[in-house]
Amino acid sequence: MPRRRARGGLAGAADVADVRRLARRRAPRVVFDYVDGAAEGELSTARAAEAFARVEFRPHVLRDVARVDTGTEILGRRVSMPVVLGPTGFTRMMHRAGERAVARAAARAGVPYTLSTMGTTSARDVAAAALGGWNWFQLYVVRDRGRVREWLRQAREAGMDVLVVTVDVPVAGGRLRDVRNGMTMPPSLRWGGLAQAMTRPAWWFGFLTGEPLRFATVEGAPDDLAGITNLMFDPAVTLRDLEWIRSEWGGRLLVKGVQRVDDAEELVAAGVDGLVVSNHGGRQLDRSPTPLELLPEVAAAVGDRTEVFLDGGVRSGADVAAAVALGARACLVGRAYLYGLMAGGEAGVDRVLAMLRGELVRTLALLGASGVDGLDADVVRLR
C-alpha cells in the first residue's frame, strides 16, 4: 500500500512533543485526555518521563558509524528496530481508521503491532488490513473463561502468534480526567455539546460518518468504561490461570505489568517467553514503580533466561536506545503513536515511527555504535 503523504502541521512536526500538541488541537478534549491522562495524581506517568530525562549517555568516539543498523531480533524474529506498538483500547475513538491504520503503519515500518482485547477492530480485520505484518494479541483475563478461550481462537485464526497477557488490572484505575470529562463509550455530543463539535469539526465528521464505534472483541458499547472493567475483569487471577492460558494458547506468551523483581523471577520459573516491565503507563496504580528505574534490576535477575521489554514513558528514539542499553530487548510504545493517529490518522502513525527510527539512528551514531547490539550499560547511566 503506498505511503500516505503527511498534511498540514504534521509535516513540520520535529518530534513527538510537536505531534502531541497537534493532536491536542485536532481531537476533542475528552478523547485527547483519555490518551494523555493517567491515574489519580498522574505521578507515575510524570515520573516515567522524568526518568528518561535523567538518562546520561557516555559515547565512544572515533568509531566507524558510516552505516548504522537499527535492526534487532525479538522472540526469534528480525524487526527493523527494537520497538513494538503496544496495545491500546478504543483506538477508533482517536481516528476512524483506528487499529487498521496502526497495523498498516507498523507493517510498513517492520515492527510488531499488538491488538488490545478492548480494541475496536477484530483480529481478523486487523490481519486483513496488514497482510505481511507481525500482529500480536493482548489479553485481559475476564471472569468468563469461555470468552477467553474464544478470543484466543480468533487471534490464532488471524495468524497472531504472540500473546501479551496484561496482569496489572484486577480493578480499574482511578482515571480522574475521564471522570471529570464524563467519558463515555461511544463518544457523545453531550460531553460538550455543539461547542466540542464546532471546535473539532474534522474529528466529529469522521466519527459521525464512520462505522459505529464498538468493542470488536468483548462486544458491545457500554457507557461506563470503569464499570465494564470492574464487571468483566477477574481480580482473582493467579499464576495457575496463566498456566491454563499457556495451555490454551500454544504460542509465545509475554506477561505485561511486571513491577517487582520477585514477580519476574516467579514468572520466569513458570516458563513465560518474555516480561514487560510496565506500570500500564501510569493508568492503574499511581505512585507505582518507574519502569526505566526498575528495568536494570529485572534484566540483571532474569534477562539471561527470558526476553525483557520496557513499557512506559518512551517518546523518542533516544529513549529506546537508553532502555535497550539498560537491559530491554525492545520498547512498547503507546501514547506516542496515538498522538500521531489523532494528529493525522495513518500518516501520523507513519510520521511517529519515522521519527523514532531517525532519532535512534542519530543516537546510535553519536554513541559510536553501528548497531543496536552496541548498546549496553557502559554507554548509559541514570543521573
Side-chain angles (χ1 to χ4, degrees):
M1 182 173 179
R3 193 182 188 85
R4 298 185 181 185
R5 295 181 62 187
R7 298 178 179 178
L10 190 60
D15 59 13
V16 169
D18 285 347
V19 177
R20 177 182 177 273
R21 284 188 284 270
L22 187 59
R24 190 168 199 159
R25 294 200 301 268
R26 293 189 173 178
R29 185 183 68 186
V30 69
V31 174
F32 178 84
D33 278 356
Y34 172 75
V35 173
D36 196 63
E40 300 178 19
E42 303 191 359
L43 297 175
S44 291
T45 190
R47 289 172 182 173
E50 289 166 2
F52 278 106
R54 291 191 292 108
V55 166
E56 180 177 272
F57 288 118
R58 304 174 64 243
H60 291 287
V61 295
L62 299 176
R63 301 292 195 271
D64 181 359
V65 290
R67 298 183 65 183
V68 172
D69 181 10
T70 61
T72 191
E73 191 173 279
I74 297 174
L75 300 173
R77 183 163 168 173
R78 192 77 177 171
V79 295
S80 69
M81 57 180 168
V83 167
V84 177
L85 298 193
T88 60
F90 326 128
T91 310
R92 283 199 295 114
M93 182 171 67
M94 294 49 156
H95 188 278
R96 62 188 295 177
E99 289 90 352
R100 294 179 181 89
V102 179
R104 285 192 291 261
R108 280 192 294 273
V111 298
Y113 166 64
T114 314
L115 175 66
S116 171
T117 299
M118 304 301 287
T120 46
T121 305
S122 70
R124 179 184 61 190
D125 289 344
V126 164
L131 296 173
W134 192 13
N135 298 310
W136 300 1
F137 184 69
Q138 176 270 337
L139 176 70
Y140 287 119
V141 183
V142 299
R143 301 169 193 270
D144 184 347
R145 296 299 193 267
R147 281 193 174 202
V148 173
R149 183 180 287 112
E150 174 61 17
W151 297 342
L152 297 181
R153 181 191 65 78
Q154 292 171 6
R156 284 195 306 270
E157 290 183 354
M160 297 175 176
D161 61 349
V162 176
L163 182 68
V164 181
V165 182
T166 298
V167 294
D168 56 3
V169 188
V171 297
R175 301 174 192 175
L176 302 187
R177 287 203 220 181
D178 293 347
V179 173
R180 292 175 182 130
N181 287 331
M183 175 69 172
T184 64
M185 179 70 177
S188 166
L189 282 173
R190 71 174 178 268
W191 287 334
L194 294 176
Q196 288 252 352
M198 290 173 65
T199 58
R200 304 293 190 271
W203 185 93
W204 281 106
F205 179 80
F207 168 66
L208 294 172
T209 59
E211 60 181 299
L213 191 59
R214 62 187 298 275
F215 299 123
T217 301
V218 302
E219 300 180 348
D223 275 357
D224 178 10
L225 301 183
I228 190 175
T229 302
N230 291 327
L231 175 67
M232 290 185 57
F233 297 1
D234 190 349
V237 173
T238 68
L239 195 61
R240 180 173 296 180
D241 297 286
L242 194 65
E243 294 167 355
W244 174 79
I245 291 166
R246 175 179 276 287
S247 69
E248 291 288 329
W249 175 244
R252 298 294 189 109
L253 188 149
L254 307 184
V255 173
K256 178 175 178 285
V258 174
Q259 299 171 71
R260 293 176 57 100
V261 174
D262 54 352
D263 284 350
E265 293 270 16
E266 188 174 55
L267 287 164
V268 170
V272 301
D273 298 296
L275 306 173
V276 185
V277 177
S278 171
N279 63 13
H280 214 102
R283 297 164 69 81
Q284 282 297 108
L285 176 66
D286 204 11
R287 302 180 180 87
S288 54
T290 301
L292 189 67
E293 294 175 347
L294 179 61
L295 171 64
E297 297 178 55
V298 173
V302 302
D304 59 341
R305 289 176 284 157
T306 195
E307 298 193 13
V308 178
F309 297 77
L310 176 87
D311 169 64
V314 177
R315 300 291 187 274
S316 72
D319 293 346
V320 173
V324 172
L326 289 171
R329 180 61 59 94
C331 294
L332 272 66
V333 174
R335 284 186 177 94
Y337 80 74
L338 290 181
Y339 294 143
L341 189 65
M342 288 188 287
E346 191 166 331
V349 184
D350 283 336
R351 179 73 170 143
V352 167
L353 285 166
M355 286 176 175
L356 293 177
R357 187 178 186 281
E359 292 159 351
L360 180 58
V361 168
R362 181 170 65 244
T363 302
L364 287 169
L366 292 172
L367 282 171
S370 61
V372 171
D373 57 1
L375 295 172
D376 57 30
D378 182 57
V379 300
V380 68
R381 69 177 181 180
L382 291 178
R383 292 178 62 88

mmCIF file of all heavy atoms in Angstrom, residues 165-168 254-265 267-268 272 274-280 289-291 294-295 298 302 308-311:
data_model
loop_
_atom_site.group_PDB
_atom_site.id
_atom_site.type_symbol
_atom_site.label_atom_id
_atom_site.label_comp_id
_atom_site.label_asym_id
_atom_site.label_seq_id
_atom_site.Cartn_x
_atom_site.Cartn_y
_atom_site.Cartn_z
ATOM 1 N N VAL A 165 -0.209 -11.049 27.860
ATOM 2 C CA VAL A 165 -1.194 -11.109 28.927
ATOM 3 C C VAL A 165 -0.930 -9.963 29.905
ATOM 4 O O VAL A 165 0.131 -9.905 30.529
ATOM 5 C CB VAL A 165 -1.149 -12.459 29.670
ATOM 6 C CG1 VAL A 165 -2.237 -12.509 30.746
ATOM 7 C CG2 VAL A 165 -1.323 -13.613 28.693
ATOM 8 N N THR A 166 -1.889 -9.054 30.024
ATOM 9 C CA THR A 166 -1.751 -7.923 30.931
ATOM 10 C C THR A 166 -2.282 -8.312 32.304
ATOM 11 O O THR A 166 -3.422 -8.761 32.425
ATOM 12 C CB THR A 166 -2.507 -6.699 30.391
ATOM 13 O OG1 THR A 166 -1.935 -6.325 29.130
ATOM 14 C CG2 THR A 166 -2.398 -5.521 31.348
ATOM 15 N N VAL A 167 -1.450 -8.128 33.335
ATOM 16 C CA VAL A 167 -1.784 -8.664 34.656
ATOM 17 C C VAL A 167 -1.924 -7.592 35.736
ATOM 18 O O VAL A 167 -2.039 -7.923 36.924
ATOM 19 C CB VAL A 167 -0.713 -9.693 35.091
ATOM 20 C CG1 VAL A 167 -0.745 -10.904 34.177
ATOM 21 C CG2 VAL A 167 0.685 -9.069 35.127
ATOM 22 N N ASP A 168 -1.931 -6.309 35.345
ATOM 23 C CA ASP A 168 -1.983 -5.251 36.355
ATOM 24 C C ASP A 168 -3.336 -4.546 36.405
ATOM 25 O O ASP A 168 -3.432 -3.397 36.828
ATOM 26 C CB ASP A 168 -0.862 -4.232 36.117
ATOM 27 C CG ASP A 168 -0.902 -3.623 34.722
ATOM 28 O OD1 ASP A 168 -1.823 -3.947 33.945
ATOM 29 O OD2 ASP A 168 0.002 -2.819 34.394
ATOM 30 N N LEU A 254 3.954 -13.479 26.481
ATOM 31 C CA LEU A 254 4.594 -12.435 27.276
ATOM 32 C C LEU A 254 3.636 -12.018 28.393
ATOM 33 O O LEU A 254 2.421 -12.046 28.207
ATOM 34 C CB LEU A 254 4.918 -11.202 26.431
ATOM 35 C CG LEU A 254 5.726 -11.370 25.143
ATOM 36 C CD1 LEU A 254 6.011 -10.004 24.537
ATOM 37 C CD2 LEU A 254 7.022 -12.112 25.404
ATOM 38 N N VAL A 255 4.192 -11.590 29.510
ATOM 39 C CA VAL A 255 3.392 -11.063 30.606
ATOM 40 C C VAL A 255 3.729 -9.591 30.773
ATOM 41 O O VAL A 255 4.892 -9.223 30.980
ATOM 42 C CB VAL A 255 3.643 -11.832 31.914
ATOM 43 C CG1 VAL A 255 2.923 -11.154 33.074
ATOM 44 C CG2 VAL A 255 3.159 -13.267 31.772
ATOM 45 N N LYS A 256 2.707 -8.756 30.699
ATOM 46 C CA LYS A 256 2.875 -7.299 30.780
ATOM 47 C C LYS A 256 2.313 -6.781 32.096
ATOM 48 O O LYS A 256 1.188 -7.123 32.469
ATOM 49 C CB LYS A 256 2.145 -6.637 29.605
ATOM 50 C CG LYS A 256 2.203 -5.116 29.583
ATOM 51 C CD LYS A 256 1.542 -4.591 28.308
ATOM 52 C CE LYS A 256 1.511 -3.086 28.246
ATOM 53 N NZ LYS A 256 0.495 -2.520 29.155
ATOM 54 N N GLY A 257 3.109 -5.950 32.767
ATOM 55 C CA GLY A 257 2.677 -5.395 34.037
ATOM 56 C C GLY A 257 3.581 -5.770 35.181
ATOM 57 O O GLY A 257 3.212 -5.595 36.352
ATOM 58 N N VAL A 258 4.785 -6.258 34.879
ATOM 59 C CA VAL A 258 5.734 -6.651 35.926
ATOM 60 C C VAL A 258 6.283 -5.397 36.599
ATOM 61 O O VAL A 258 6.787 -4.487 35.939
ATOM 62 C CB VAL A 258 6.880 -7.489 35.332
ATOM 63 C CG1 VAL A 258 7.945 -7.778 36.381
ATOM 64 C CG2 VAL A 258 6.333 -8.790 34.743
ATOM 65 N N GLN A 259 6.205 -5.364 37.958
ATOM 66 C CA GLN A 259 6.644 -4.186 38.712
ATOM 67 C C GLN A 259 7.502 -4.543 39.924
ATOM 68 O O GLN A 259 7.800 -3.689 40.751
ATOM 69 C CB GLN A 259 5.412 -3.377 39.161
ATOM 70 C CG GLN A 259 4.586 -2.871 37.985
ATOM 71 C CD GLN A 259 3.262 -2.270 38.406
ATOM 72 O OE1 GLN A 259 3.229 -1.187 38.988
ATOM 73 N NE2 GLN A 259 2.174 -2.974 38.136
ATOM 74 N N ARG A 260 7.906 -5.826 39.980
ATOM 75 C CA ARG A 260 8.772 -6.286 41.072
ATOM 76 C C ARG A 260 9.705 -7.365 40.539
ATOM 77 O O ARG A 260 9.314 -8.179 39.685
ATOM 78 C CB ARG A 260 7.945 -6.872 42.217
ATOM 79 C CG ARG A 260 7.071 -5.895 42.966
ATOM 80 C CD ARG A 260 6.242 -6.642 44.011
ATOM 81 N NE ARG A 260 7.103 -7.388 44.927
ATOM 82 C CZ ARG A 260 7.438 -6.963 46.148
ATOM 83 N NH1 ARG A 260 6.987 -5.817 46.606
ATOM 84 N NH2 ARG A 260 8.214 -7.698 46.933
ATOM 85 N N VAL A 261 10.921 -7.419 41.096
ATOM 86 C CA VAL A 261 11.879 -8.432 40.671
ATOM 87 C C VAL A 261 11.423 -9.823 41.084
ATOM 88 O O VAL A 261 11.565 -10.783 40.319
ATOM 89 C CB VAL A 261 13.275 -8.118 41.255
ATOM 90 C CG1 VAL A 261 14.246 -9.253 40.947
ATOM 91 C CG2 VAL A 261 13.804 -6.812 40.675
ATOM 92 N N ASP A 262 10.848 -9.972 42.285
ATOM 93 C CA ASP A 262 10.442 -11.315 42.712
ATOM 94 C C ASP A 262 9.303 -11.852 41.846
ATOM 95 O O ASP A 262 9.246 -13.057 41.559
ATOM 96 C CB ASP A 262 10.082 -11.349 44.196
ATOM 97 C CG ASP A 262 9.030 -10.332 44.611
ATOM 98 O OD1 ASP A 262 8.657 -9.474 43.779
ATOM 99 O OD2 ASP A 262 8.581 -10.383 45.776
ATOM 100 N N ASP A 263 8.391 -10.974 41.385
ATOM 101 C CA ASP A 263 7.365 -11.429 40.455
ATOM 102 C C ASP A 263 7.992 -11.865 39.133
ATOM 103 O O ASP A 263 7.552 -12.858 38.518
ATOM 104 C CB ASP A 263 6.353 -10.313 40.204
ATOM 105 C CG ASP A 263 5.371 -10.125 41.363
ATOM 106 O OD1 ASP A 263 5.361 -10.983 42.273
ATOM 107 O OD2 ASP A 263 4.635 -9.129 41.353
ATOM 108 N N ALA A 264 8.989 -11.127 38.681
ATOM 109 C CA ALA A 264 9.681 -11.508 37.446
ATOM 110 C C ALA A 264 10.311 -12.890 37.589
ATOM 111 O O ALA A 264 10.220 -13.738 36.682
ATOM 112 C CB ALA A 264 10.743 -10.466 37.104
ATOM 113 N N GLU A 265 10.943 -13.134 38.712
ATOM 114 C CA GLU A 265 11.557 -14.446 38.956
ATOM 115 C C GLU A 265 10.505 -15.553 38.915
ATOM 116 O O GLU A 265 10.727 -16.619 38.331
ATOM 117 C CB GLU A 265 12.247 -14.436 40.332
ATOM 118 C CG GLU A 265 13.443 -13.521 40.430
ATOM 119 C CD GLU A 265 14.735 -14.227 40.057
ATOM 120 O OE1 GLU A 265 14.663 -15.310 39.443
ATOM 121 O OE2 GLU A 265 15.806 -13.684 40.378
ATOM 122 N N LEU A 267 7.611 -15.579 37.373
ATOM 123 C CA LEU A 267 7.090 -15.761 36.022
ATOM 124 C C LEU A 267 8.080 -16.502 35.127
ATOM 125 O O LEU A 267 7.687 -17.353 34.321
ATOM 126 C CB LEU A 267 6.741 -14.399 35.413
ATOM 127 C CG LEU A 267 5.492 -13.749 36.003
ATOM 128 C CD1 LEU A 267 5.434 -12.266 35.646
ATOM 129 C CD2 LEU A 267 4.227 -14.461 35.519
ATOM 130 N N VAL A 268 9.351 -16.199 35.286
ATOM 131 C CA VAL A 268 10.367 -16.920 34.508
ATOM 132 C C VAL A 268 10.376 -18.394 34.901
ATOM 133 O O VAL A 268 10.485 -19.280 34.048
ATOM 134 C CB VAL A 268 11.750 -16.274 34.692
ATOM 135 C CG1 VAL A 268 12.840 -17.163 34.094
ATOM 136 C CG2 VAL A 268 11.779 -14.902 34.029
ATOM 137 N N VAL A 272 7.426 -18.374 31.037
ATOM 138 C CA VAL A 272 6.953 -17.394 30.052
ATOM 139 C C VAL A 272 8.090 -17.042 29.100
ATOM 140 O O VAL A 272 9.268 -17.187 29.421
ATOM 141 C CB VAL A 272 6.404 -16.123 30.727
ATOM 142 C CG1 VAL A 272 5.258 -16.473 31.658
ATOM 143 C CG2 VAL A 272 7.496 -15.373 31.463
ATOM 144 N N GLY A 274 8.630 -14.023 27.784
ATOM 145 C CA GLY A 274 9.113 -12.668 27.955
ATOM 146 C C GLY A 274 8.315 -11.922 29.000
ATOM 147 O O GLY A 274 7.182 -12.305 29.343
ATOM 148 N N LEU A 275 8.901 -10.848 29.520
ATOM 149 C CA LEU A 275 8.274 -9.994 30.522
ATOM 150 C C LEU A 275 8.272 -8.564 30.019
ATOM 151 O O LEU A 275 9.227 -8.114 29.388
ATOM 152 C CB LEU A 275 9.062 -10.033 31.833
ATOM 153 C CG LEU A 275 9.362 -11.376 32.481
ATOM 154 C CD1 LEU A 275 10.299 -11.167 33.658
ATOM 155 C CD2 LEU A 275 8.078 -12.041 32.928
ATOM 156 N N VAL A 276 7.216 -7.846 30.328
ATOM 157 C CA VAL A 276 7.157 -6.419 30.025
ATOM 158 C C VAL A 276 7.141 -5.664 31.346
ATOM 159 O O VAL A 276 6.165 -5.729 32.098
ATOM 160 C CB VAL A 276 5.921 -6.054 29.183
ATOM 161 C CG1 VAL A 276 5.982 -4.570 28.797
ATOM 162 C CG2 VAL A 276 5.833 -6.920 27.933
ATOM 163 N N VAL A 277 8.242 -4.974 31.633
ATOM 164 C CA VAL A 277 8.298 -4.110 32.810
ATOM 165 C C VAL A 277 7.421 -2.906 32.504
ATOM 166 O O VAL A 277 7.712 -2.114 31.616
ATOM 167 C CB VAL A 277 9.742 -3.680 33.102
ATOM 168 C CG1 VAL A 277 9.787 -2.726 34.292
ATOM 169 C CG2 VAL A 277 10.620 -4.898 33.362
ATOM 170 N N SER A 278 6.321 -2.776 33.237
ATOM 171 C CA SER A 278 5.306 -1.792 32.882
ATOM 172 C C SER A 278 4.427 -1.478 34.074
ATOM 173 O O SER A 278 4.107 -2.368 34.869
ATOM 174 C CB SER A 278 4.431 -2.336 31.749
ATOM 175 O OG SER A 278 3.316 -1.499 31.507
ATOM 176 N N ASN A 279 4.031 -0.213 34.204
ATOM 177 C CA ASN A 279 3.008 0.162 35.188
ATOM 178 C C ASN A 279 1.750 0.669 34.486
ATOM 179 O O ASN A 279 1.026 1.505 35.006
ATOM 180 C CB ASN A 279 3.542 1.187 36.188
ATOM 181 C CG ASN A 279 3.941 2.502 35.532
ATOM 182 O OD1 ASN A 279 3.622 2.765 34.370
ATOM 183 N ND2 ASN A 279 4.637 3.348 36.268
ATOM 184 N N HIS A 280 1.510 0.149 33.272
ATOM 185 C CA HIS A 280 0.313 0.480 32.499
ATOM 186 C C HIS A 280 0.282 1.966 32.135
ATOM 187 O O HIS A 280 -0.785 2.594 32.095
ATOM 188 C CB HIS A 280 -0.959 0.099 33.276
ATOM 189 C CG HIS A 280 -2.083 -0.365 32.407
ATOM 190 N ND1 HIS A 280 -2.408 -1.687 32.257
ATOM 191 C CD2 HIS A 280 -2.962 0.319 31.632
ATOM 192 C CE1 HIS A 280 -3.444 -1.804 31.442
ATOM 193 N NE2 HIS A 280 -3.794 -0.593 31.044
ATOM 194 N N PRO A 289 6.085 1.663 40.677
ATOM 195 C CA PRO A 289 7.493 1.756 40.288
ATOM 196 C C PRO A 289 7.668 2.367 38.894
ATOM 197 O O PRO A 289 6.858 2.134 37.996
ATOM 198 C CB PRO A 289 7.959 0.294 40.317
ATOM 199 C CG PRO A 289 7.048 -0.369 41.282
ATOM 200 C CD PRO A 289 5.713 0.298 41.086
ATOM 201 N N THR A 290 8.725 3.133 38.740
ATOM 202 C CA THR A 290 9.030 3.743 37.447
ATOM 203 C C THR A 290 9.735 2.714 36.575
ATOM 204 O O THR A 290 10.805 2.205 36.953
ATOM 205 C CB THR A 290 9.929 4.979 37.641
ATOM 206 O OG1 THR A 290 9.237 5.920 38.477
ATOM 207 C CG2 THR A 290 10.269 5.623 36.311
ATOM 208 N N PRO A 291 9.163 2.355 35.416
ATOM 209 C CA PRO A 291 9.704 1.235 34.631
ATOM 210 C C PRO A 291 11.190 1.343 34.303
ATOM 211 O O PRO A 291 11.931 0.362 34.454
ATOM 212 C CB PRO A 291 8.837 1.254 33.368
ATOM 213 C CG PRO A 291 7.534 1.815 33.845
ATOM 214 C CD PRO A 291 7.896 2.853 34.851
ATOM 215 N N LEU A 294 13.304 0.480 37.296
ATOM 216 C CA LEU A 294 13.218 -0.930 37.677
ATOM 217 C C LEU A 294 13.896 -1.844 36.662
ATOM 218 O O LEU A 294 14.384 -2.922 37.013
ATOM 219 C CB LEU A 294 11.744 -1.321 37.837
ATOM 220 C CG LEU A 294 11.431 -2.768 38.206
ATOM 221 C CD1 LEU A 294 12.039 -3.135 39.556
ATOM 222 C CD2 LEU A 294 9.918 -2.999 38.219
ATOM 223 N N LEU A 295 13.935 -1.415 35.418
ATOM 224 C CA LEU A 295 14.418 -2.263 34.321
ATOM 225 C C LEU A 295 15.773 -2.910 34.599
ATOM 226 O O LEU A 295 15.911 -4.137 34.402
ATOM 227 C CB LEU A 295 14.460 -1.440 33.030
ATOM 228 C CG LEU A 295 15.134 -2.097 31.821
ATOM 229 C CD1 LEU A 295 14.355 -3.333 31.377
ATOM 230 C CD2 LEU A 295 15.263 -1.089 30.680
ATOM 231 N N VAL A 298 15.456 -5.925 36.958
ATOM 232 C CA VAL A 298 14.775 -7.075 36.362
ATOM 233 C C VAL A 298 15.677 -7.745 35.331
ATOM 234 O O VAL A 298 15.796 -8.977 35.288
ATOM 235 C CB VAL A 298 13.440 -6.649 35.722
ATOM 236 C CG1 VAL A 298 12.817 -7.813 34.962
ATOM 237 C CG2 VAL A 298 12.476 -6.136 36.788
ATOM 238 N N VAL A 302 16.740 -11.708 35.513
ATOM 239 C CA VAL A 302 16.142 -12.734 34.638
ATOM 240 C C VAL A 302 16.493 -12.567 33.162
ATOM 241 O O VAL A 302 16.073 -13.379 32.336
ATOM 242 C CB VAL A 302 14.597 -12.743 34.778
ATOM 243 C CG1 VAL A 302 14.180 -12.995 36.219
ATOM 244 C CG2 VAL A 302 13.979 -11.437 34.266
ATOM 245 N N VAL A 308 13.266 -9.383 28.089
ATOM 246 C CA VAL A 308 12.699 -8.328 28.928
ATOM 247 C C VAL A 308 12.388 -7.118 28.055
ATOM 248 O O VAL A 308 13.250 -6.642 27.310
ATOM 249 C CB VAL A 308 13.668 -7.937 30.058
ATOM 250 C CG1 VAL A 308 13.083 -6.796 30.890
ATOM 251 C CG2 VAL A 308 13.972 -9.148 30.944
ATOM 252 N N PHE A 309 11.171 -6.636 28.154
ATOM 253 C CA PHE A 309 10.719 -5.470 27.393
ATOM 254 C C PHE A 309 10.396 -4.342 28.369
ATOM 255 O O PHE A 309 10.094 -4.586 29.541
ATOM 256 C CB PHE A 309 9.476 -5.803 26.568
ATOM 257 C CG PHE A 309 9.692 -6.861 25.528
ATOM 258 C CD1 PHE A 309 9.752 -8.207 25.878
ATOM 259 C CD2 PHE A 309 9.813 -6.525 24.181
ATOM 260 C CE1 PHE A 309 9.956 -9.191 24.920
ATOM 261 C CE2 PHE A 309 10.011 -7.498 23.216
ATOM 262 C CZ PHE A 309 10.084 -8.833 23.587
ATOM 263 N N LEU A 310 10.426 -3.111 27.859
ATOM 264 C CA LEU A 310 10.075 -1.948 28.675
ATOM 265 C C LEU A 310 8.866 -1.259 28.085
ATOM 266 O O LEU A 310 8.771 -1.077 26.868
ATOM 267 C CB LEU A 310 11.230 -0.943 28.713
ATOM 268 C CG LEU A 310 10.866 0.347 29.472
ATOM 269 C CD1 LEU A 310 11.131 0.184 30.950
ATOM 270 C CD2 LEU A 310 11.589 1.555 28.926
ATOM 271 N N ASP A 311 7.949 -0.841 28.954
ATOM 272 C CA ASP A 311 6.774 -0.078 28.537
ATOM 273 C C ASP A 311 6.596 1.080 29.508
ATOM 274 O O ASP A 311 6.547 0.877 30.715
ATOM 275 C CB ASP A 311 5.533 -0.977 28.562
ATOM 276 C CG ASP A 311 4.243 -0.185 28.398
ATOM 277 O OD1 ASP A 311 4.056 0.416 27.332
ATOM 278 O OD2 ASP A 311 3.433 -0.173 29.348
#
